[in-house]
Amino acid sequence: MAQFRAKARAVELLGKGQISDLPTAISELWKNGYDAYGDKLQAFLYLEGYEGLKSPFFVLSDDGKGMTRDDILDKWIVLGTDSKSRNENEKPGEETLWKKTRIKMGEKGIGRLSVAYLGSQMLMLTKKIGSPLQAVFFDWRILENYNLFLEEINIPVKSVNSLKEFRKIFEELRTEYLLNFTPSNKTADPWSEQTEIKKTIISECKSIQVPDFFEEEILEGMLGDSKDVHGTKFVIFNPDPQLLLLKPSVIDKKNQEEVDDGTINHIRAGLTGLFNVFKEKKPDYTTNFWLIDREGKYDFIDKREFFDAKDFKICDHLIEGTFDEQGTFEGSIRIFEKSIKHKFKPTRLAIGSSYGPFNIKLGYVQGDRGFETPMLQAEERGNFFERLKLFGGIYIYRDGFRVLPYGRTEYDFLEFEKRRTERAGSYFFSHRRMFGYIEISRNENERLKDKAGREGFINNVAYREFKKDLEDFFIDLAKMYFADNAKTDIKNIQQKKYEELAENEKLEREREKIERKEFAKQLKELPVQLSNVGREFEDLT
């Protein structure tokens, strides 16, 4: 009887191989933290110089429920586990940290493997209420060996009960892991064809130096019997080179020539807005990405640089409403100061939508830099442009959690820019001038399915109809209200009024400038005139 067997590299193909980039890997692990009822999803990049640190290391953490040894052995290292889908009906209690039940973001059982994308050497620390802290050490590069089968790899797991025993435990973990490279007498050496990577892994594992502040800053908060002590931390000793670009001095533009700004902006845009903060009511859970060096602590994804609910009130145009089961939109369109009710029906022949109902709310800022309206003055418009450059686009949130890559400035999935190249005056809308969200749910929109790497939706019938209806919706909006030859003149009338006001204000400023200049000239000439009058008076006397 034959049976399936899996080579070790299958784990890398399912994990790191399925993740398109660094932000996706981090957000995937934060999703797992959210699913574990964590509220504080954080990343910490410790850089050289901090407390004498010789080499940087990275920590990704959540304050979720954590894991026991059995959880690690039976769930975490079991690929494709369905434990999340089986727990959909869990009730508030210790397993939910006494919080309201959450809809699970991850369900494919491979998201945890995203940690391999962060760097090669991983120390996982995880603590569940009532159980000791568990430590797991692993170097993911062992999976590159195409001669190894999964069952031949040992993943060391040990309990940590006190701060003072941690370094001894860590040495034991490292020693046990390195036994993977000692061939058994019964078999041929599986590393005989890959000796260089074997030497590299062994050398770099042996050279890991745990910093002096590790116990106090990383470990101490994870030890104890209190019900408040729980969560998971991934410590990466050899971070991905992209992470090492994120230095506060560079991000503050002090050394622009030293770094690829495109990479920095890509990472920031991918991690910002992970939860739907466009709404008035902010979620209870937060994300932070702390850069820590000798100068202090800096949040790389500071929420103040992103959009907020108040931005919808001052943008040029606002689209807000709902697409129902038939794919029909009903809502309102605000064009500058005027709001009107609007209804749109899809033109395709099929009756009803296969993607399900969803909400939409989008703000739009016109590209005229000198243009002012009663809602948006020139200075605010400039601020909008800066944020749109980094974060502009249509975000999609499933049950409040962002679906990547939607929202990235370069991911124009509705092809606005393609249409504008054909005729900008007719199609009007630009992906780069939008901000806001589409709101879907797992229950209502189950046919909109994520790809395995969380890079957008699978291109099935539901997605194609979803995309087509949205494209037709915006084309119809442009024809009705915004195009050069729009069916209604609501926008053009208001814009002409603002332009005339701006021109009048410009003329008024120019008159005032001339008058001030003339007044200044008179003030300058006045002493001379007074002196002349004085001399004339003296001559008369």
Side-chain angles (χ1 to χ4, degrees), residues 433-486:
R433 296 283 170 236
M434 288 182 170
F435 67 95
Y437 62 91
I438 289 171
E439 191 174 38
I440 64 175
S441 71
R442 186 173 173 182
N443 292 333
E444 296 279 7
N445 311 98
E446 61 179 353
R447 293 180 182 173
L448 291 175
K449 298 181 180 295
D450 296 4
K451 294 178 185 175
R454 305 294 195 257
E455 277 299 290
F457 296 121
I458 294 171
N459 189 14
N460 57 17
V461 173
Y463 173 72
R464 289 194 292 273
E465 291 183 355
F466 173 75
K467 182 175 181 291
K468 178 68 164 57
D469 287 353
L470 281 169
E471 288 176 348
D472 289 348
F473 170 68
F474 284 104
I475 291 171
D476 182 70
L477 277 183
K479 289 179 179 178
M480 182 66 68
Y481 306 110
F482 298 99
D484 291 343
N485 56 347

Side-chain angles (χ1 to χ4, degrees), residues 21-33:
D21 56 25
L22 186 65
T24 303
I26 293 174
S27 65
E28 194 66 23
L29 291 166
W30 274 344
K31 278 183 181 180
N32 286 348

Side-chain angles (χ1 to χ4, degrees), residues 21 36 75 105 178 201 230 236 243 274 436 446 468 504:
D21 56 25
K75 298 177 184 177
M105 295 296 112
L178 290 175
I201 295 173
H230 49 79
I236 310 299
L243 287 168
L274 199 61
E446 61 179 353
K468 178 68 164 57
N504 291 336

Side-chain angles (χ1 to χ4, degrees), residues 119-220:
S120 53
Q121 299 156 335
M122 173 203 79
L123 173 67
M124 181 174 73
L125 301 167
T126 184
K127 170 78 168 64
K128 194 169 186 176
I129 296 172
S131 299
L133 174 66
Q134 300 297 316
V136 179
F137 180 77
F138 197 71
D139 189 314
W140 295 94
R141 289 174 293 185
I142 196 173
L143 302 175
E144 296 175 19
N145 188 329
Y146 41 77
N147 290 321
L148 282 174
F149 286 91
L150 280 176
E151 63 266 24
E152 297 174 325
I153 298 175
N154 176 42
I155 303 175
V157 184
K158 290 188 177 295
S159 299
V160 181
N161 296 297
S162 66
L163 290 178
K164 63 181 182 181
E165 73 174 7
F166 166 71
R167 290 180 186 261
K168 176 177 175 292
I169 295 295
F170 180 72
E171 284 302 320
E172 292 174 356
L173 286 168
R174 178 162 50 182
T175 300
E176 188 175 334
Y177 171 77
L178 290 175
L179 291 176
N180 284 298
F181 301 92
T182 302
S184 168
N185 293 329
K186 298 179 181 179
T187 61
D189 182 4
W191 291 94
S192 60
E193 299 177 28
Q194 293 171 283
T195 56
E196 287 304 314
I197 188 171
K198 173 184 175 180
K199 289 178 182 178
T200 300
I201 295 173
I202 293 173
S203 173
E204 292 186 3
C205 282
K206 287 182 176 180
S207 65
I208 293 174
Q209 292 184 347
V210 179
D212 294 338
F213 60 83
F214 192 90
E215 283 90 340
E216 181 180 352
E217 294 202 22
I218 310 297
L219 198 63
E220 188 170 16

Side-chain angles (χ1 to χ4, degrees), residues 46-58:
Y46 291 88
L47 296 161
E48 300 99 324
Y50 175 74
E51 299 290 335
L53 189 64
K54 295 292 192 300
S55 58
F57 71 97
F58 182 69

Side-chain angles (χ1 to χ4, degrees), residues 398-517:
R398 189 197 298 277
D399 297 305
F401 209 108
R402 181 177 174 185
V403 180
L404 284 171
Y406 306 105
R408 286 179 176 160
T409 54
E410 73 275 15
Y411 197 74
D412 180 16
F413 77 103
L414 296 182
E415 302 183 25
F416 290 106
E417 305 308 326
K418 179 181 177 181
R419 288 190 294 275
R420 280 177 61 83
T421 58
E422 297 174 4
R423 190 178 299 169
S426 296
Y427 292 111
F428 181 76
F429 289 107
S430 169
H431 178 72
R432 302 184 186 98
R433 296 283 170 236
M434 288 182 170
F435 67 95
Y437 62 91
I438 289 171
E439 191 174 38
I440 64 175
S441 71
R442 186 173 173 182
N443 292 333
E444 296 279 7
N445 311 98
E446 61 179 353
R447 293 180 182 173
L448 291 175
K449 298 181 180 295
D450 296 4
K451 294 178 185 175
R454 305 294 195 257
E455 277 299 290
F457 296 121
I458 294 171
N459 189 14
N460 57 17
V461 173
Y463 173 72
R464 289 194 292 273
E465 291 183 355
F466 173 75
K467 182 175 181 291
K468 178 68 164 57
D469 287 353
L470 281 169
E471 288 176 348
D472 289 348
F473 170 68
F474 284 104
I475 291 171
D476 182 70
L477 277 183
K479 289 179 179 178
M480 182 66 68
Y481 306 110
F482 298 99
D484 291 343
N485 56 347
K487 294 179 181 178
T488 65
D489 54 6
I490 296 172
K491 170 181 168 287
N492 293 332
I493 289 174
Q494 290 183 87
Q495 184 161 332
K496 185 176 181 182
K497 180 182 72 173
Y498 300 143
E499 289 170 350
E500 288 175 352
L501 287 172
E503 183 63 27
N504 291 336
E505 289 178 4
K506 180 181 177 182
L507 293 173
E508 185 62 30
R509 285 194 297 270
E510 288 176 355
R511 280 195 295 269
E512 289 178 359
K513 184 178 179 181
I514 293 171
E515 289 174 358
R516 285 196 301 270
K517 187 175 181 180

